[in-house]
């Protein structure tokens, strides 16, 4: 069992300003967030009876862009007492204009492991781009026009939510796996005011308006009716996610925010 690494589009952060006719970029907050993992819904036929673990997200502003780190460790247990450990470590950097992106990840699950590393570029004014991998093997991937990298995608997504959109489809390149190009369809719920939210960690980073969002991931040009996987989030307008649900075919995993702290901006 391999757990999804594609949490980035809903928890990364970057203002994007080079694409035409987009809403104003969101004011996103550098932060460090700590989540606990537990088992959610279990569907008929699943052997999973328990989940435990933790995830840390680190989003930092640099003088010329943003850095994000994601580290997650999950242990899933079955009815026979067996356990599968999944560990994920990801680092990405995106330029302030959203045109350049570097990525590196390492994933281990059971006897399987994978290292991914490379960089990508978007063409001028949202034109076609290119990704060059050095791991797990040297290869080049063409990126379609108007594709967004994860941090820019989140800023664009919040702008769409602020404008009242209820669905926001987009092609996103995240680089967290060899098949880094995905079509992501986000379903956006009504705006939720700060006082209407169940917020167990009060403070300036979490006392913000937000939306319940559900992201469905499809391979690019796929005609499949069902997504490969889905992620739900309570997404705030500053880029912070106060809760997440990873929805797999047979079970789901709930990530609860346990602690969050601001990250100071750089001195440029």
């Amino acid at each position: 069992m391999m757990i999804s690494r594609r949490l980035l589009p809903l928890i990364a952060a970057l203002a994007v300003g080079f694409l035409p006719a987009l809403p104003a970029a969101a004011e996103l907050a550098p932060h460090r967030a700590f989540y606990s993992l537990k088992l959610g819904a279990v569907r008929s036929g699943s052997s999973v009876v328990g989940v435990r673990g933790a995830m840390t997200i680190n989003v930092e502003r640099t003088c010329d862009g943003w850095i994000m780190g994601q580290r997650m460790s999950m242990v899933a247990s079955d009815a026979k007492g067996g356990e599968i450990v999944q560990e994920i470590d990801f680092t990405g950097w995106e330029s302030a204009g959203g045109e350049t992106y570097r990525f590196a990840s390492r994933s281990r699950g059971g006897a399987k492991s994978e290292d991914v590393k490379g960089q990508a570029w978007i063409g001028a004014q949202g034109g076609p781009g290119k990704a060059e991998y050095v791991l797990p093997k040297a290869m080049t991937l063409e990126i379609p026009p108007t594709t967004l990298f994860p941090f820019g995608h989140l800023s664009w997504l919040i702008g769409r939510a602020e404008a009242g959109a209820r669905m926001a489809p987009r092609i996103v390149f995240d680089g967290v796996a060899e098949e880094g190009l995905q079509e992501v369809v986000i379903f956006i719920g009504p705006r939720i005011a700060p006082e209407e939210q169940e917020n167990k960690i009060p403070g300036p980073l979490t006392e913000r308006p937000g939306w319940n969002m559900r992201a469905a991931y499809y391979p690019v040009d796929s005609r499949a009716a069902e997504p490969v996987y889905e992620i739900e989030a309570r997404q705030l307008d500053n880029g912070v996610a106060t809760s997440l649900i990873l929805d797999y075919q047979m079970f789901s995993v709930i990530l609860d925010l346990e602690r969050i702290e601001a990250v100071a901006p750089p001195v440029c």
Side-chain angles (χ1 to χ4, degrees):
M1 178 180 62
M2 296 290 284
I3 190 171
S4 168
R5 287 169 286 174
R6 286 193 169 86
L7 296 176
L8 300 181
L10 290 176
I11 48 184
L14 176 67
V16 66
F18 67 94
L19 290 175
L22 292 186
E27 292 292 333
L28 301 171
H31 64 278
R32 188 174 294 111
F34 304 85
Y35 301 83
S36 62
L37 277 64
K38 64 183 179 182
L39 182 64
V42 178
R43 297 175 179 86
S44 177
S46 173
S47 62
V48 175
V49 297
V51 169
R52 68 181 188 274
M55 182 178 73
T56 303
I57 295 294
N58 188 57
V59 178
E60 297 185 28
R61 190 76 166 92
T62 70
C63 293
D64 56 355
W66 290 79
I67 295 175
M68 185 191 138
Q70 173 190 327
R71 177 169 292 181
M72 180 161 63
S73 178
M74 187 186 85
V75 180
S77 55
D78 61 29
K80 297 181 179 180
E83 292 186 338
I84 296 178
V85 179
Q86 176 79 41
E87 295 181 346
I88 298 166
D89 199 347
F90 175 87
T91 301
W93 175 87
E94 188 170 331
S95 63
E99 68 277 359
T100 307
Y101 180 54
R102 296 194 295 266
F103 53 91
S105 69
R106 173 167 292 178
S107 176
R108 293 188 178 93
K112 297 181 179 180
S113 65
E114 182 182 33
D115 290 310
V116 178
K117 184 177 182 180
Q119 55 186 333
W121 303 267
I122 295 293
Q125 298 300 312
K130 182 181 295 185
E132 293 183 352
Y133 288 78
V134 295
L135 291 174
K137 62 183 178 182
M139 68 175 193
T140 300
L141 178 69
E142 299 298 323
I143 296 179
T146 71
T147 296
L148 292 177
F149 297 135
F151 306 149
H153 178 239
L154 178 59
S155 182
W156 174 82
L157 176 62
I158 292 174
R160 297 297 299 142
E162 292 280 17
R166 289 293 171 258
M167 186 173 72
R170 197 78 192 227
I171 295 177
V172 178
F173 179 85
D174 55 28
V176 299
E178 190 173 345
E179 66 284 1
L181 202 61
Q182 297 279 303
E183 183 173 0
V184 186
V185 180
I186 309 289
F187 300 92
I188 306 169
R191 188 176 186 271
I192 305 172
E195 62 272 15
E196 297 174 330
Q197 301 188 45
E198 296 181 3
N199 188 1
K200 69 176 184 179
I201 304 179
L205 287 171
T206 59
E207 294 174 349
R208 307 280 306 185
W211 306 263
N212 290 326
M213 297 187 183
R214 187 174 183 90
Y217 289 78
Y218 300 85
V220 174
D221 298 327
S222 170
R223 296 183 178 180
E226 296 296 326
V228 177
Y229 52 87
E230 296 177 276
I231 297 173
E232 293 185 30
R234 171 67 60 83
Q235 181 66 66
L236 306 184
D237 69 345
N238 61 350
V240 172
T242 55
S243 65
L244 295 151
I245 299 176
L246 309 182
D247 190 353
Y248 300 96
Q249 292 182 347
M250 302 303 293
F251 68 99
S252 64
V253 177
I254 299 172
L255 289 82
D256 288 324
L257 181 65
E258 300 293 343
R259 182 162 60 94
I260 189 169
E261 56 193 40
V263 174
V267 178
C268 301

